[in-house]
Amino acid sequence: MNQTIKKRVRDSTPTSLRNFRRLVIGLINLSRADKHKCNLCGYEGRFWPFGNPPRRGATCGGCGSQERHRLIGLWLAANPELVEGAKILHFAPEATLVHSLSAYSSCYRTADLDPNVADTVLDIEQIDLPSDSVDVVVCSHVLEHVDDAKALREIRRILTRGGRALLMFPIVEGWDRSYENEDITSPADRAKHFGQDDHVRMFGRDVRQRITDASLDLTEFTAEEPDVSQYGLTRGEKVFVAVKP
Ligand SMILES: [Zn+2]
């Protein structure tokens, strides 16, 4: 069959059937769980899809950790001298990281606006803690929900000199500037524009400037090979490590 006829045959398939076929193929691909090792719980085996849209091999079959949790775990393992015995404050605590972080220090505590999920109720835009009182802040996938300028100023204030914040957030590295739009307020529009119904922006590359504007120094810890393949990380994902000089 030549290409022209093939194309005509394909095009004659009803759109609904073609879409259904694509859906089935997509689900079959997703169901092929990838095998990785989890640096947080030690599990080795199948990792499962997670997210909307689903990401293949995202979730550890042992502890349920996702890629970003394992990346923070790798940073912690690479920098134990910075966290052992440190005063650690973990905003919006991810259950899969709590065990790892608490193992590093008895001065570890969690914080959230919801008292049911954390040790302490704290508003990251107005943190009710003394200045210079925390050595390590862990703040993953929080800044895209809040006024990031206020939050970063507050994080800097509570950090001890030389203390650091581990910051993660969704970012579009292809964009020079973060995308904010005050007309986008409904959950449906926020999901469409910012990727989730309670996000208020999508960061671009200028997030680095936004961090240093808060008088924090910045280094980046990037998911690279062979860690990506071994531990099931997102290629190029970063932990932004902001240090109070
Ligand atoms: Zn695990």
Side-chain angles (χ1 to χ4, degrees), residues 164-236:
R164 60 208 67 217
L166 309 182
L167 308 172
M168 295 188 79
F169 33 75
I171 179 171
V172 180
E173 291 282 6
W175 289 353
D176 292 336
R177 297 182 59 78
S178 300
Y179 171 48
E180 294 173 294
N181 184 339
E182 61 187 20
D183 294 331
I184 305 298
T185 53
S186 74
D189 282 348
R190 284 178 169 173
K192 185 175 175 184
H193 286 255
F194 306 133
Q196 193 169 301
D197 62 13
D198 54 353
H199 289 179
V200 297
R201 78 181 62 75
M202 182 65 83
F203 286 111
R205 287 196 302 276
D206 65 326
V207 71
R208 296 165 174 86
Q209 184 69 45
R210 295 165 86 112
I211 293 170
T212 56
D213 281 351
S215 301
L216 292 160
D217 295 337
L218 182 62
T219 60
E220 298 172 21
F221 182 74
T222 307
E224 296 175 346
E225 293 292 1
D227 293 340
V228 168
S229 300
Q230 185 170 8
Y231 300 116
L233 307 179
T234 301
R235 295 176 183 86

Side-chain angles (χ1 to χ4, degrees), residues 37-43 47 60-65 70:
K37 179 176 183 179
C38 180
N39 55 302
L40 295 178
C41 73
Y43 168 88
F47 280 39
C60 168
C63 67
S65 66
R70 296 189 291 277

Side-chain angles (χ1 to χ4, degrees), residues 52-189:
N52 182 19
R55 306 182 303 277
R56 252 182 83 156
T59 300
C60 168
C63 67
S65 66
Q66 296 166 36
E67 305 96 317
R68 59 191 169 98
H69 309 144
R70 296 189 291 277
L71 186 60
I72 286 180
L74 286 182
W75 185 90
L76 295 169
N79 297 278
E81 74 283 1
L82 298 176
V83 281
E84 281 172 358
K87 292 173 191 160
I88 304 172
L89 183 63
H90 184 186
F91 281 99
E94 300 95 333
T96 54
L97 270 177
V98 168
H99 178 71
S100 295
L101 283 161
S102 58
Y104 281 103
S105 175
S106 57
C107 301
Y108 166 75
R109 61 176 167 155
T110 57
D112 199 281
L113 286 173
D114 181 350
N116 298 311
V117 301
D119 305 326
T120 320
V121 174
L122 289 175
D123 178 353
I124 198 166
E125 295 179 7
Q126 195 172 355
I127 304 172
D128 187 18
L129 288 178
S131 302
D132 308 300
S133 61
V134 176
D135 300 314
V136 176
V137 167
V138 180
C139 177
S140 176
H141 286 228
V142 175
L143 292 180
E144 69 274 23
H145 295 262
V146 301
D147 183 325
D148 59 314
K150 280 186 183 173
L152 287 166
R153 274 200 304 273
E154 279 294 88
I155 288 171
R156 185 194 188 281
R157 182 184 63 78
I158 64 165
L159 280 174
T160 53
R161 199 168 290 277
R164 60 208 67 217
L166 309 182
L167 308 172
M168 295 188 79
F169 33 75
I171 179 171
V172 180
E173 291 282 6
W175 289 353
D176 292 336
R177 297 182 59 78
S178 300
Y179 171 48
E180 294 173 294
N181 184 339
E182 61 187 20
D183 294 331
I184 305 298
T185 53
S186 74
D189 282 348

